[in-house]
Amino acid sequence: MSDRMSRGETDRGWAWVIVAAVTIINLAILPIQQCYGLVFTDRFRSLGITATQTSFILHLNGTITCSLGLISGPMMKRFRFRTVGFFGGLTVAIGICMTAFAVSVPSIIITYCIIVGIGHGVMFPATTLALNTYFRKKRNLAMGFTVTLTGLGPILMPLLIAKLLENYATTGTLLILAGIAMHSLVGASLLKPFNENKITSITKGNDITESSAECNDNGVAKRAESLNVENETEVKNGGVNCELLSNDVERKTEDRERPLSRNAELANRTEGKRKILSRIFKHLDLDLLKDSRYVAVILGMGVSLVAETNFNAMIPFVLSELAGLERTSIATVMSIQAASDITGRLCVPLLAHKAGWTSRNLYVFSLIGSTLGRTILSAWGTTYVAVVCVALIIGVAKGTKAVFQALIIPDYVSLERLPAASGMQMVCNGILSIAIGPIIGLVHDSMNGYVGALHFTSFLSLSCVFMWYAGGFLRFKKETVNRREKEDTIQVEEDACECSA
């Protein structure tokens, strides 16, 4: 009964408020990541931080964020969207506020990497699961609206941050960003638990049924007790005679049973440990790791995500070195890229819907587009016109990736396994981020320039395509389509049964 009610509440009503809530949260807490290079350029230069250290700080933050992915599944089963959202938003705001006064690498690691990273790591699973819970048939549309509205932030934020840096320096700018992050609490308050009222009414009805059953059991127990009192005397008389004989038998068998009881105790302990491990294994849904295609998916996405995140965050440093642009010009280029990003988020999903393209193929398309843009930038990045063209190309690719990267895992696993699958993906992203990310900065320092680092970044992005082909993920389009059609048929049959009922 509850499953039928749940299906009836999806894709409408409060579901669209969830879209607004997730958008508010993203616009509030993401500027510190989206404008990482712009915010910290002056401070890092004054502290003498190298490109390797800059990449390490960036990817350590990502690793801390993703390291919470393994516990996100159990956490989302234990706590509600709203509770997790409040905690995550407040943690991000406190972390940014503390980062404003961090003037050394260790203090930046503690405040930005650890505290802000924990806040992001707690918040993202809550918003992702909220969207995927409230939307079933219109999930692609809802995700498209969310990422498109979120993309409005990077259009205005670079220009705003550039102006704030001129007037308030890095410390004042970070304090203002902390105040903006506090607005995520408004979005968190809108994350209403799914179908809460109806589930409560069903629970109350079950409680009433259980209480009535308990009354019946008590009545039966009282009648049985009256019968037992009558037979108690006869049982006692027979028990005295039996007790003498049973004592002798027990003494003889006790010595023989002691070794067997010890072995049984050891066996019970071993079995208990196995049950505990089995529960942990089942609770975290680690069976997913037996699926080679799922492993190929998360590894490929992890490597490409590290590369793309590093490049997008380091754009101010790249443009400053290759093109010699000033802060205002860099902010303008970033805004142009963000506007192109919005175009990609709006147009590409519509074209994909009409053409029938899958999320995985469009994700590959976005990686190829980013690689093309970096190649042009490395060859002709000294001219402003080439930089603007690159911003347009990379913006469309980034917008496409933003829409469809969030749909690949939900399209591959069921809703019940989604928290665990997303959590494992986050953990994989975190491990790869800290393992591969600093290498990009090391390539820059060893080659004394960003040209080699750009080519290495493109190599990492395209390695995702190779992993997916090697794992068979891109060759099973027909199987996925058949599975989707089967699920749709079952859904239609269930809806028809509900209407007839």
Side-chain angles (χ1 to χ4, degrees):
M1 182 67 178
S2 61
D3 291 338
R4 293 179 181 178
M5 288 183 180
S6 296
R7 285 194 297 269
E9 293 298 318
T10 58
D11 302 301
R12 62 187 179 88
W14 196 264
W16 296 105
V17 179
I18 297 296
V19 171
V22 174
T23 301
I24 292 171
I25 291 172
N26 290 339
L27 290 174
I29 68 173
L30 287 181
I32 187 68
Q33 282 187 332
Q34 295 166 341
C35 301
Y36 168 81
L38 196 61
V39 171
F40 291 106
T41 299
D42 293 340
R43 178 161 293 183
F44 285 178
R45 284 177 180 171
S46 64
L47 296 175
I49 295 177
T50 63
T52 303
Q53 292 173 322
T54 302
S55 293
F56 175 77
I57 292 171
L58 170 67
H59 292 287
L60 181 59
N61 171 267
T63 298
I64 298 296
T65 298
C66 297
S67 64
L68 299 178
L70 194 60
I71 65 171
S72 64
M75 179 180 65
M76 294 311 303
K77 292 178 182 178
R78 176 66 177 82
F79 301 102
R80 295 175 176 177
F81 309 142
R82 184 176 293 163
T83 303
V84 177
F86 269 113
F87 177 76
L90 189 61
T91 304
V92 171
I94 292 174
I96 297 174
C97 186
M98 295 175 66
T99 305
F101 303 99
V103 291
S104 64
V105 174
S107 60
I108 292 173
I109 289 175
I110 294 173
T111 56
Y112 177 73
C113 297
I114 297 178
I115 299 178
V116 176
I118 290 174
H120 284 153
V122 168
M123 181 67 81
F124 292 147
T127 56
T128 301
L129 187 59
L131 276 176
N132 285 286
T133 301
Y134 271 89
F135 286 93
R136 306 293 169 82
K137 296 180 181 179
K138 299 180 181 179
R139 183 179 295 168
N140 291 3
L141 185 61
M143 188 64 68
F145 275 128
T146 302
V147 296
T148 300
L149 294 173
T150 301
L152 295 174
I155 296 178
L156 302 176
M157 274 298 169
L159 300 174
L160 175 62
I161 289 176
K163 189 64 66 175
L164 291 175
L165 288 170
E166 292 179 3
N167 297 317
Y168 303 105
T170 304
T171 300
T173 300
L174 286 170
L175 289 175
I176 294 174
L177 290 178
I180 294 174
M182 286 294 293
H183 289 76
S184 62
L185 303 182
V186 177
S189 66
L190 299 176
L191 296 178
K192 186 178 74 172
F194 181 67
N195 212 16
E196 183 179 25
N197 295 330
K198 293 187 178 181
I199 292 175
T200 303
S201 63
I202 294 171
T203 305
K204 290 180 179 179
N206 292 336
D207 291 341
I208 294 172
T209 305
E210 291 175 1
S211 63
S212 62
E214 185 177 355
C215 294
N216 294 333
D217 292 341
N218 289 337
V220 173
K222 288 180 180 179
R223 290 194 294 271
E225 185 178 355
S226 63
L227 294 175
N228 290 335
V229 170
E230 297 176 359
N231 297 327
E232 185 176 358
T233 304
E234 297 179 3
V235 172
K236 286 184 177 179
N237 292 332
V240 171
N241 295 327
C242 293
E243 185 177 359
L244 296 175
L245 295 174
S246 63
N247 288 339
D248 293 335
V249 176
E250 287 177 0
R251 290 193 192 98
K252 293 178 182 179
T253 59
E254 185 177 358
D255 295 334
R256 284 179 287 179
E257 290 180 352
R258 283 179 180 174
L260 296 176
S261 64
R262 291 176 182 174
N263 293 333
E265 184 179 355
L266 293 175
N268 290 334
R269 289 181 181 177
T270 304
E271 185 66 21
K273 293 180 180 179
R274 289 178 180 175
K275 288 182 178 179
I276 293 174
L277 293 176
S278 177
R279 288 177 182 176
I280 295 174
F281 197 86
K282 185 178 180 180
H283 199 56
L284 298 177
D285 208 355
L286 296 180
D287 282 334
L288 285 166
L289 297 178
K290 297 179 181 179
D291 188 344
S292 60
R293 276 188 286 168
Y294 172 75
V295 174
V297 170
I298 62 174
L299 286 177
M301 290 185 67
V303 174
S304 63
L305 183 65
V306 171
E308 297 297 325
T309 300
N310 187 89
F311 173 72
N312 291 326
M314 302 294 285
I315 281 179
F317 298 98
V318 175
L319 297 181
S320 177
E321 182 178 300
L322 290 181
L325 300 181
E326 298 295 331
R327 180 191 297 154
T328 304
S329 299
I330 292 173
T332 302
V333 171
M334 292 178 67
S335 296
I336 293 173
Q337 177 180 310
S340 179
D341 184 342
I342 289 289
T343 304
R345 299 182 190 215
L346 288 173
C347 298
V348 175
L350 296 176
L351 295 174
H353 180 71
K354 291 185 177 181
W357 298 335
T358 62
S359 300
R360 69 191 76 168
N361 291 333
L362 285 164
Y363 187 83
V364 171
F365 168 77
S366 70
L367 296 180
I368 295 174
S370 297
T371 300
L372 176 63
R374 283 189 293 268
T375 303
I376 296 174
L377 184 62
S378 62
W380 299 286
T382 55
T383 61
Y384 189 76
V385 175
V387 169
V388 171
C389 292
V390 168
L392 294 173
I393 295 172
I394 292 179
V396 173
K398 183 181 176 183
T400 304
K401 181 171 66 68
V403 174
F404 294 100
Q405 70 180 357
L407 298 174
I408 292 175
I409 296 297
D411 284 348
Y412 189 73
V413 302
S414 62
L415 181 62
E416 291 75 16
R417 308 187 78 177
L418 181 58
S422 300
M424 290 181 203
Q425 181 194 8
M426 290 181 64
V427 172
C428 179
N429 292 344
I431 295 173
L432 293 173
S433 180
I434 198 63
I436 300 175
I439 298 177
I440 301 175
L442 188 62
V443 171
H444 168 272
D445 292 340
S446 62
M447 300 184 68
N448 295 320
Y450 273 108
V451 175
L454 290 176
H455 291 309
F456 182 67
T457 301
S458 297
F459 168 76
L460 292 177
S461 292
L462 294 180
S463 65
C464 172
V465 184
F466 171 76
M467 290 183 188
W468 284 7
Y469 270 112
F473 185 58
L474 293 175
R475 294 198 298 266
F476 283 82
K477 178 180 178 181
K478 185 176 180 180
E479 177 184 334
T480 304
V481 171
N482 292 336
R483 178 171 59 85
R484 281 284 193 84
E485 290 178 351
K486 185 177 180 180
E487 292 177 354
D488 292 341
T489 302
I490 294 173
Q491 182 68 35
V492 170
E493 292 176 354
E494 290 177 350
D495 294 339
C497 292
E498 291 175 12
C499 294
S500 62

